[in-house]
Amino acid sequence: MSTWREIRALPPAVRLLLVNQLGVNTGFYLLIPYLAVHLSDDLGMSAAAVGTVLGVRNLSQQGLFVIGGSASDRLGARRVIIAGCALRTAGFALFALGDGIVVLLAASVLSGLAGALFNPAVRAHLAQEAGERKAEAFALFNVFATTGALIGPLLGSALLLVDFRAAALTAAGIFAVLTVAQALVLPPGRVAPTTNGVLADWRAVVRNRPFMSFACAMVGMVALESQLYLLFPDGARRATGWDGAAGLVFLVATLAGLALQLRITRALKRRGSRTRWIGVGLALMAVAFVPPMLVTSGTPPDGDVSQAVLRAVPLLTGALLLQTGLMVAQPFVMELIPGFGRAGLTGTYFGVFYVVSGIAAALGNAAVGWAMDTGRRIGDGWLPWACCLALGLVSAAGTARLHRRGALPGRPDPVPAHA
């Protein structure tokens, strides 16, 4: 019941943004996880063509986050959110109606651009409307996003029993409903007047050394979070010899996020510096890669259920630790970003942060993939896990250093008199 009280205590605009994120993730995960199979199996496209379509969508989103952030600052987050959802509606409808490469590429560009528009705008609007309750708002934002990510694939798999077009049109319909709801209900928010050009705003953000240092320190958080979908599922399958173990890892992390996110954020907000908790969360994420090292080398059990269960425990423990570290750090990271600059640049700061995060996730996955291949080749299955451990510890140390130097928004911890 405390969760519902927390939701009701938030402004109406924030509550709408939470429901919006539930719908966004439901619609997204209803379609995107099954897109590659549709392109290859249903349309008979080559692997290169499938990779091109998926890559264009990802590039259109990750590379243009700063555009969406700047548009949010100058036009108002409400307009940008509505435009993003409308574009996502059109993009997903094109996936349903088209089967030529030109139409599919257009659908990829539209759906990617949509995400680039509304992702930073939603977070900027949430930070603006939540006031002093930013941490709780972003914690609930994660809960609603996770719920959508859980509902979406289940709904998509059911709709695929009809065909892919039914799933795509349903996803487009969800975004159409969100577009109309935001146009009718979402308040406009505040747009700070500015005489600077867009390039001047970008330069101001990029030249903000504390912010860029912080964004680079957060590379570990983003890169390690993505291992819930790459390294952990692969490790679970190899350790247990059971393909279903990969889904179990994701389920444990998801349920932990739903059950504990708000409780953890509220408890930590009352205990000490929030910037310090970001470093603690990153350290927890790093330590999460230690238990799987115990079972990811060697050969998996051959049909021995008891051995498979025993070998699954370290993987599930690691996944739970990783999710816990993320729950500790992420809401405070989101709360901190607007504090680096003036209010009129909140969207731009979020946009630049997500560009850095997108690059980090891509490079991190490439590096972990290389470590996985190398580890298999030389017989050292622990290698990618050790690389992730090192990355997490470096990010935690970098954040702790910024905290000690007082480079992060808010007051640094007081220095004891005897020091």
Side-chain angles (χ1 to χ4, degrees):
M1 292 299 293
S2 60
T3 299
W4 292 112
R5 285 197 298 269
E6 191 72 50
I7 293 171
R8 287 196 298 270
L10 293 169
V14 174
R15 296 201 296 267
L16 179 60
L17 291 171
L18 297 179
V19 175
N20 174 75
Q21 193 60 28
L22 172 67
V24 164
N25 273 21
T26 298
F28 181 85
Y29 287 102
L30 186 157
L31 178 72
I32 294 301
Y34 308 106
L35 181 58
V37 175
H38 167 67
L39 297 177
S40 59
D41 293 356
D42 298 340
L43 302 184
M45 295 175 64
S46 66
V50 172
T52 299
V53 172
L54 298 180
V56 164
R57 192 210 67 79
N58 191 61
L59 181 63
S60 299
Q61 178 163 317
Q62 301 291 348
L64 298 177
F65 271 132
V66 69
I67 302 293
S70 292
S72 172
D73 291 333
R74 292 172 174 273
L75 302 177
R78 176 181 179 274
R79 294 179 181 178
V80 178
I81 293 168
I82 294 170
C85 283
L87 284 177
R88 182 63 64 82
T89 302
F92 281 8
L94 280 179
F95 278 128
L97 303 175
D99 54 11
I101 187 65
V102 174
V103 175
L104 292 170
L105 287 174
S108 293
V109 170
L110 286 176
S111 60
L113 176 59
L117 288 176
F118 63 65
N119 276 338
V122 165
R123 285 156 179 81
H125 205 25
L126 192 70
Q128 183 184 72
E129 296 293 332
E132 295 300 315
R133 304 175 70 86
K134 289 184 181 67
E136 292 91 341
F138 279 111
L140 284 167
F141 188 82
N142 287 348
V143 171
F144 277 74
T146 301
T147 303
L150 188 62
I151 294 172
L154 298 175
L155 182 57
S157 62
L159 288 168
L160 285 173
L161 297 176
V162 181
D163 62 14
F164 177 82
R165 283 180 171 80
L169 288 174
T170 300
I174 289 173
F175 279 97
V177 170
L178 291 175
T179 304
V180 173
Q182 290 156 357
L184 293 176
V185 181
L186 193 64
R190 300 178 296 276
V191 180
T194 180
T195 57
N196 296 331
V198 172
L199 293 180
D201 287 345
W202 293 355
R203 284 194 297 270
V205 174
V206 172
R207 290 175 179 174
N208 186 329
R209 292 183 63 183
F211 169 71
M212 294 305 296
S213 298
F214 178 72
C216 290
M218 290 304 103
V219 161
M221 184 184 78
V222 178
L224 297 188
E225 178 188 5
S226 65
Q227 300 317 308
L228 280 172
Y229 309 98
L230 175 63
L231 183 57
F232 270 90
D234 180 80
R237 286 190 294 265
R238 291 180 178 277
T240 65
W242 176 44
D243 288 343
L248 194 58
V249 165
F250 178 72
L251 181 63
V252 165
T254 301
L255 293 179
L258 293 175
L260 301 176
Q261 175 66 85
L262 184 60
R263 290 182 174 88
I264 288 174
T265 301
R266 292 173 66 184
L268 297 182
K269 186 177 177 180
R270 298 191 296 265
R271 292 173 172 83
S273 169
R274 301 174 198 180
T275 56
R276 173 175 288 177
W277 287 121
I278 294 174
V280 171
L282 289 169
L284 271 176
M285 294 179 75
V287 172
F289 292 85
V290 174
M293 288 188 202
L294 305 175
V295 294
T296 50
S297 296
T299 58
D302 186 13
D304 189 333
V305 176
S306 61
Q307 284 296 314
V309 171
L310 287 175
R311 290 170 68 89
V313 170
L315 269 300
L316 298 178
T317 301
L320 185 58
L321 283 172
L322 182 62
Q323 184 67 28
T324 301
L326 186 65
M327 288 188 287
V328 169
Q330 194 175 60
F332 297 130
V333 170
M334 296 292 104
E335 180 189 36
L336 210 60
I337 290 172
F340 281 100
R342 58 183 175 86
L345 284 182
T346 298
T348 305
Y349 273 96
F350 273 110
V352 172
F353 181 84
Y354 276 102
V355 169
V356 174
S357 298
I359 295 171
L363 294 178
N365 280 339
V368 171
W370 173 85
M372 290 166 68
D373 291 338
T374 303
R376 291 168 195 160
R377 187 172 62 252
I378 64 178
D380 289 330
W382 53 265
L383 181 61
W385 306 91
C387 291
C388 290
L389 169 64
L391 176 60
L393 292 177
V394 169
S395 284
T399 305
R401 186 168 184 268
L402 290 172
H403 171 74
R404 288 194 304 271
R405 291 173 56 195
L408 302 178
R411 296 180 181 176
D413 287 346
V415 178
H418 63 272

